Amino acid sequence: GEENVSEGSDSDSDLTSRQKMMDRVEAAVLRVAGFTLLATAALGLDNGLGALPPMGWNSWNLAGCKINESFFRDTVDQLAAGGYREAGYSYINLDDCWMSTNRTEEGDLQWGPNFPTGDTLGDYVHSKGFKFGMYLSAGPKTCSLRDPNNRTATGWGSYGYEERDAAWIAKQGADYLKYDAVCGGDYNAPPLNTSFSLMDWEQVVVSKMGVALNKTGRPIWYQYGSPYTWNKHGGMYGAGPIRWITENATLGGVNSFRSGFDMSDSWGNVGEQISGVVRWDEALPSSCAGACPWPDADCLEIGNNITQITVIESQSYFSWYAIANAPLLMSTRIDTLDPRLVAILQQPEVIAINQDYAGRRGMPVTPPLATNTGVVWAKPLTSAATVANIANTSDHGPSGAAAFLLNSGNTPNVTLWFKDIGFEHTTAALVRDVVQRKDLGVFIGSISVSLQPSESRMFKVVPKV
């Protein structure tokens, strides 16, 4: 698309201080549809982790229960050789179906038959410079693993074994836990019964595992597969349990939590998943400022079906996750990944926006799924050096904004008005395309782009001083 310089027609009083201007940037980016959204650093569980959204790879969306040790080890090798560690991806997470359906006589978990040397996997992942993630279920069994001889059998889920299982995965070298709560009530696990509310269930289950993880003495990222709540509350994304968890983080909070249903390998699912992040931000309490866990829109499906998520859509998908500060957890085959998609997943300046050190989440400036005006999201940045040196400065205070523009329907011309991100109407700003890593020049008041359907642009905008 091509950019056009547009000048704002309104006039406000001049601001001589760039700090004042950027205070307005932050306020405007956080102001959506008449109410203020939280966009703070996420510290959640008191384990020294969570200042930035995690990046890595997860086995589930790609392999499900077909995962095995050989494929997992090969993927570790491919991630190490393919430059993903250097790009910022640090966690390699083994999801459901790694364990046996039988515990030991002592009550410990054990590796299943597809992982004959599973107890060495943690060391192997660490030897390649990555961190090792594992999966447990909050219910009496996991979500997908079944005993082939007894489909009603239970016992390998962590309900009632929280402390034992936390200690066991710590011994395996786990640095990340995905704790799936979707299956607890599905199998009528106590205490989910008529005398115990959904809120009670999630408070008790989440807190017990958070405390147990901290008791191991090993820093383990705690991702809660929370929206067990959406089984009960549908599209409203019941936020009561997460609100309670956040306000009582010292009782066993979380570092991140799933903010919606499972992601599919379809472009049409992406916008709804991202919108779920916004819904959760609306529900989180003001008291969680500085301690809010990260809403997780689920794994990146880029590369799993290039006919359903094209290269253009893959770029928009990745940039949209980045501006929303969503965790960047891939779930795709690394060895056969299209080189164009590898380039997208390793874009340094887009990743830098996702990993902005202050952890301020991006928010929609337009309605999240607007089709008549295009989609525009923005977030304040904390340092001009965060993305690119387009302005020589040693200032580490707020000094710019990132913006994401998308043609989500039939809106080929999409405009970012600087006044919508807190600048003065006549502000001259340096604009950089962070995908193409190219400075576009100085624009006054706005920048407009011409986009194909599902095409997007991602900019860094810095006031010219």
Side-chain angles (χ1 to χ4, degrees):
E2 56 184 48
E3 293 77 37
N4 304 300
V5 179
S6 303
E7 297 192 9
S9 58
D10 299 323
S11 61
D12 291 334
S13 58
D14 289 336
L15 292 178
T16 57
S17 164
R18 187 163 98 176
Q19 181 63 52
K20 274 188 176 182
M21 184 180 295
M22 292 317 303
D23 287 343
R24 284 171 54 87
V25 172
E26 185 168 342
V29 168
L30 304 185
R31 194 170 56 244
V32 180
F35 47 80
T36 300
L37 301 182
L38 298 174
T40 58
L43 296 175
L45 181 62
D46 184 17
N47 59 1
L49 305 173
L52 297 170
M55 295 177 59
W57 183 91
N58 176 282
S59 63
W60 182 254
N61 298 50
L62 171 66
C65 266
K66 295 178 181 178
I67 190 67
N68 59 61
E69 184 173 342
S70 175
F71 182 81
F72 186 79
R73 286 180 183 269
D74 287 347
T75 300
V76 174
D77 293 341
Q78 293 151 12
L79 288 164
Y84 290 90
R85 181 183 57 240
E86 292 77 10
Y89 295 92
S90 56
Y91 292 101
I92 304 181
N93 298 341
L94 181 59
D95 210 286
D96 198 357
C97 303
W98 60 262
M99 73 281 284
S100 168
T101 56
N102 296 304
R103 289 178 178 266
T104 66
E105 290 184 2
E106 294 77 20
D108 284 331
L109 292 164
Q110 52 186 342
W111 291 92
N114 290 334
F115 290 84
T117 59
D119 57 356
T120 66
L121 275 183
D123 286 343
Y124 189 73
V125 171
H126 295 152
S127 75
K128 300 293 184 177
F130 292 101
K131 297 177 182 178
F132 180 44
M134 299 186 74
Y135 169 102
L136 296 172
S137 168
K141 63 165 67 176
T142 65
C143 284
S144 297
L145 185 62
R146 303 285 186 268
D147 183 333
N149 301 313
N150 183 358
R151 293 185 64 83
T152 63
T154 62
W156 58 95
S158 293
Y159 180 76
Y161 293 91
E162 291 86 357
E163 191 168 314
R164 178 178 288 273
D165 289 357
W168 193 87
I169 66 168
K171 289 179 182 177
Q172 299 296 315
D175 306 293
Y176 188 114
L177 172 63
K178 176 182 173 181
Y179 199 44
D180 205 340
V182 174
C183 306
D186 294 348
Y187 300 103
N188 296 313
L192 190 64
N193 53 41
T194 54
S195 64
F196 228 84
S197 70
L198 175 67
M199 178 80 86
D200 292 329
W201 159 262
E202 296 219 350
Q203 289 172 6
V204 170
V205 167
V206 178
S207 296
K208 285 182 73 174
M209 182 52 78
V211 170
L213 290 172
N214 273 356
K215 190 174 180 179
T216 69
R218 182 178 182 84
I220 299 176
W221 183 288
Y222 185 16
Q223 177 200 336
Y224 181 48
S226 145
Y228 178 34
T229 50
W230 37 244
N231 284 351
K232 298 289 183 181
H233 299 289
M236 295 306 294
Y237 295 84
I242 290 297
R243 178 185 292 269
W244 185 91
I245 292 162
T246 297
E247 292 176 334
N248 296 275
T250 57
L251 300 180
V254 299
N255 296 118
S256 60
F257 62 93
R258 281 286 304 282
S259 57
F261 290 96
D262 291 345
M263 178 64 79
S264 66
D265 56 356
S266 167
W267 166 247
N269 188 220
V270 175
E272 181 57 35
Q273 292 294 101
I274 291 290
S275 295
V277 173
V278 177
R279 293 191 186 103
W280 278 105
D281 274 324
E282 293 169 9
L284 288 171
S286 58
S287 60
C288 83
C292 291
W294 296 101
D296 182 352
D298 202 11
C299 295
L300 291 160
E301 292 262 5
I302 292 172
N304 288 342
N305 189 338
I306 203 165
T307 62
Q308 292 297 316
I309 306 177
T310 65
V311 174
I312 286 176
E313 290 165 346
S314 295
Q315 180 64 70
S316 297
Y317 187 169
F318 191 63
S319 296
W320 209 347
Y321 263 53
I323 196 79
N325 287 109
L328 299 179
L329 298 170
M330 304 174 289
S331 188
T332 190
R333 280 197 73 128
I334 300 302
D335 57 338
T336 59
L337 195 56
D338 188 305
R340 295 170 296 175
L341 303 183
V342 174
I344 288 171
L345 290 166
Q346 295 187 6
Q347 288 169 338
E349 297 187 17
V350 176
I351 290 173
I353 286 174
N354 175 264
Q355 296 287 298
D356 182 77
Y357 77 84
R360 295 185 174 109
R361 286 192 284 275
M363 295 292 168
V365 173
T366 60
L369 296 178
T371 57
N372 58 339
T373 59
V375 170
V376 180
W377 282 52
K379 60 169 285 186
L381 297 173
T382 53
S383 170
T386 300
V387 178
N389 294 317
I390 62 175
N392 294 323
T393 177
S394 59
D395 178 18
H396 291 285
S399 55
F404 169 77
L405 287 69
L406 169 71
N407 175 2
S408 62
N410 298 307
T411 314
N413 298 309
V414 183
T415 298
L416 170 68
W417 296 96
F418 294 169
K419 61 183 176 60
D420 289 339
I421 56 172
F423 295 168
E424 294 300 305
H425 299 290
T426 55
T427 294
L430 295 159
V431 177
R432 180 175 176 87
D433 186 318
V434 299
V435 172
Q436 305 212 3
R437 304 176 72 181
K438 176 183 178 183
D439 294 343
L440 302 180
V442 177
F443 294 77
I444 300 173
S446 68
I447 180 170
S448 295
V449 293
S450 178
L451 301 171
Q452 302 175 43
S454 304
E455 187 182 12
S456 67
R457 301 294 289 275
M458 197 170 195
F459 299 134
K460 181 178 180 183
V461 183
V462 178
K464 190 173 184 298
V465 224

